[in-house]
Amino acid sequence: MPEEVTLTIDGKKITAKIGQSILEAAEENGVYIPHLCALQELHSTGACRVCMVRIDGRYSASCTQPVSDGLQVEVESDELLEIRKMIVEMLFAEGNHFCPCCEKSGNCELQALAYRLGIDSVRFPYQFPQREVDAEHPDVFIDHNRCILCGRCVEASRNADHKTALEFIGRGKNKRLAVTGIVDLDRADKAVSVCPVGAILLKRQAFQVPLGQRRFDHEPIGAEVESRNPEVRTP
Amino acid sequence: MTTAVKPRIATVSLAGCFGCHMSLLDIDERLLDLVEIVDFDRSPIDDIKTFTHRCAIGLVEGGCANDENVHVLEEFRENCDILVSIGECARTGGIPALRNSIPLAECLDEAYRSGPTVYNPTGTLPTDEELPLLLNRVVPCHEVVRIDYHVMGCPPSAETLWQVLTALLSNEKVQLPYELIKYD
């Protein structure tokens, strides 16, 4: 069996290694597919659905779909952009995301995606759910208001920290992150550092990076991926 | 000297902190350029309390926290050709909306009866009929009336407001550079 396959992304032929996801192959070729839950060093769960693409005409999360020979992948279309915008807007409407008073602001991947996708207002009514802030841990805050249930921390705790310190409980709109209590979360855990939003934060670190020097202050999210491909211009 | 009719601008702060208005003042000497090309109608900037003419642009800071906010916002929609929500409170509800996940009765109780610094031996809540009634939830402006443009930021920087205003006044598309797009 060959080690490499050829597929087409938005009409452009790329080569990818067998076993890679479409998202990984795209990134390696300088094509940024917006995503929130996928992270290179973690197992992808396809939780957030932001990385939705069309593969041979079918909608699929590109982070969980493996490459195969001859696939026709559509990433940039008005329809897919609209789907991504809608998903991100739903995340904003579903939780309590008060950017002006969030210490993750400027370093937040959800916020940066909204900037990149050009979201200036949310079409869905804000839900303003009643959620808790768990400040019990000596070094870590868990703010359920900002949690988007991407599962990165659960995945990292299980497979990178080998701890299972965090799990999901409940279903549907009652699903939320929970501390299992089996083992203690440590401030150095991967589970603490992978949160894309301000739901898991280290205490006593707030606002240390001044405005203008934060992760997404000057460059949109995905710019570093696109810099690998001179043909793609960052919006 | 010709007296061409200048487009009129109205501004208001609903459930906001006036920070967005401060940011508008922060365009500094460009204020002089601005008053050359526009007239201010109803606005805290000139202290006109009611609309005197139809306005080309209405700038709304803050969301709706009480019935008066809703009434004023509807009045702005009726009297302005282009209605722009300015800042995070207008766009999302913002800081005043932090109360939304707490029932209104509990908020009032905390503020007027049981809060740690409250002295209110009779336990009465403000009931004067002059006072606007609080809404159960603070809502962003676009959930009340149609909003034509949303300007992000807490507050939007002076540069952002200047670019939006000059684009709207010259009938150009509002296209902000990435670095001016901020939710904070």
Side-chain angles (χ1 to χ4, degrees), chain A residues 9-41:
Chain A
I9 293 185
D10 286 337
K12 196 186 128 212
K13 274 205 158 53
I14 64 159
T15 37
K17 291 180 219 57
I18 283 190
Q20 273 185 322
S21 69
I22 287 177
L23 181 76
E24 286 166 344
E27 291 217 336
E28 233 177 63
N29 285 274
V31 177
Y32 175 69
I33 303 176
H35 56 274
L36 278 173
C37 70
L39 199 63
Q40 201 160 25
E41 58 272 32

Side-chain angles (χ1 to χ4, degrees), chain A residues 92 98-101 105 111 114-115 119-122 124-130 214 216-220, chain B residues 88 91-95 97-98 100-103 137-138 140 142-143 150 152 154 178-179 181-184:
Chain A
F92 272 100
F98 295 98
C99 296
C101 56
S105 187
Q111 185 191 57
Y115 292 171
I119 295 172
D120 58 2
S121 74
V122 170
F124 308 104
Y126 287 96
Q127 299 301 301
F128 299 114
Q130 197 162 5
R214 300 171 303 178
F216 300 115
D217 273 341
H218 301 289
E219 292 267 284
Chain B
E88 291 307 287
R91 203 179 67 80
T92 71
I95 303 300
L98 282 168
N100 282 4
S101 52
I102 303 160
R137 282 183 158 189
V138 179
H142 69 266
E143 289 186 22
H150 301 265
M152 306 163 230
C154 185
Y178 176 78
E179 280 163 317
I181 300 170
K182 292 272 177 284
Y183 288 174
D184 59 3

Side-chain angles (χ1 to χ4, degrees), chain B residues 1-5:
Chain B
M1 198 180 112
T2 54
T3 50
V5 181

Side-chain angles (χ1 to χ4, degrees), chain B residues 130-173:
Chain B
E130 288 290 313
L131 292 174
L133 281 173
L134 291 174
L135 305 181
N136 270 345
R137 282 183 158 189
V138 179
V139 288
C141 292
H142 69 266
E143 289 186 22
V144 179
V145 297
R146 180 173 57 80
I147 297 288
D148 301 300
Y149 293 93
H150 301 265
V151 182
M152 306 163 230
C154 185
S157 66
E159 185 58 35
T160 307
L161 290 172
W162 176 250
Q163 289 201 19
V164 169
L165 273 179
T166 46
L168 289 178
L169 287 166
S170 51
N171 253 334
E172 279 163 22
K173 204 174 166 201

Side-chain angles (χ1 to χ4, degrees), chain B residues 7 24 31 40 43 66-67 94-95 100 141 156 173 175 183:
Chain B
L24 181 61
L31 272 172
F40 277 90
S43 168
N66 59 39
D67 64 346
I95 303 300
N100 282 4
C141 292
K173 204 174 166 201
Q175 264 180 321
Y183 288 174

